[in-house]
Amino acid sequence: MSNNKVIQTSYQIPKTTKSLEYKALSNCVKSLGLAKIQPHIFICADQTIANCCSKRASLESWEYLKKRLQEFKLPKLQESHPICVFKTKANCLQVYCSRPIMVVYRDGVWYRQANPEVIEQLVQEHSIGNKVIEKYAFLTHPLPETSLVSCEHLIEA
Ligand code: FES
């Protein structure tokens, strides 16, 4: 399912959006390495209404994920590792059971029971090794190989 090749992603911010917004968005794409993100990890955490686990447990998982990605220096592009790993607290992913729920795109792998122990495996095996942790994965729904982001709505704004 997963492979180690870096996916080429195109992005377009229409130049007709000649405003500061265009510059700001372009800078963000470059400085954050948005076009190089792979994978992007979402986890239900800090929920408005805690459904699948307690808010405390979800925040423990979130903090662990943040800490380990920092320790591996994965949020930043590096010559030795030309991808970056993004993470996002997703409030509730609407699964409502099997505490906390985590989904990893672009592979589209949904994990259950994402406690610190599972997150450790995820960071080492999935984020770095590109290997799905079968024991905790309950759905795989990958995104297409490439995507083109169009910001046409910015022109109308
Ligand atoms: S709170 Fe975890 S899926 Fe909703």
Side-chain angles (χ1 to χ4, degrees):
M1 162 192 329
S2 296
N3 54 37
N4 289 323
K5 74 178 177 183
V6 175
I7 302 300
Q8 295 299 316
T9 304
S10 306
Y11 65 94
Q12 287 182 325
I13 298 171
K15 291 204 165 98
T16 50
T17 314
K18 286 181 187 164
S19 60
L20 289 174
E21 184 181 17
Y22 170 77
K23 249 187 166 172
L25 288 172
S26 296
N27 287 341
C28 281
V29 169
K30 287 176 193 143
S31 67
L32 296 174
L34 297 184
K36 303 276 186 185
I37 291 173
Q38 75 173 285
H40 191 154
I41 302 170
F42 296 86
I43 185 168
C44 66
D46 203 10
Q47 311 97 318
T48 308
I49 299 171
N51 284 302
C52 70
C53 64
S54 69
K55 193 169 185 160
R56 194 173 139 259
S58 75
L59 285 170
E60 184 187 354
S61 291
W62 168 251
E63 291 302 326
Y64 192 83
L65 176 64
K66 266 189 353 189
K67 182 179 116 195
R68 292 302 281 151
L69 292 178
Q70 282 296 341
E71 286 170 359
F72 279 106
K73 298 185 177 17
L74 290 175
K76 297 269 184 230
L77 288 174
Q78 301 167 71
E79 291 220 357
S80 60
H81 195 72
I83 62 169
C84 56
V85 178
F86 252 47
K87 63 194 176 322
T88 299
K89 252 194 286 188
N91 195 330
C92 174
L93 288 163
Q94 301 184 39
V95 174
Y96 305 133
C97 65
S98 291
R99 67 217 224 58
I101 298 297
M102 190 162 52
V103 59
V104 181
Y105 283 108
R106 100 186 147 80
D107 296 335
V109 182
W110 289 71
Y111 288 104
R112 64 189 174 91
Q113 296 179 13
N115 59 33
E117 190 182 317
V118 174
I119 288 172
E120 182 63 36
Q121 283 184 58
L122 178 115
V123 170
Q124 295 204 27
E125 294 177 30
H126 197 150
S127 298
I128 297 172
N130 237 350
K131 186 177 149 214
V132 173
I133 308 162
E134 303 287 348
K135 184 176 175 186
Y136 297 100
F138 65 93
L139 173 70
T140 300
H141 179 64
L143 294 178
E145 289 267 315
T146 57
S147 60
L148 177 65
V149 177
S150 173
C151 299
E152 288 175 23
H153 60 284
L154 291 176
I155 299 170
E156 296 164 14

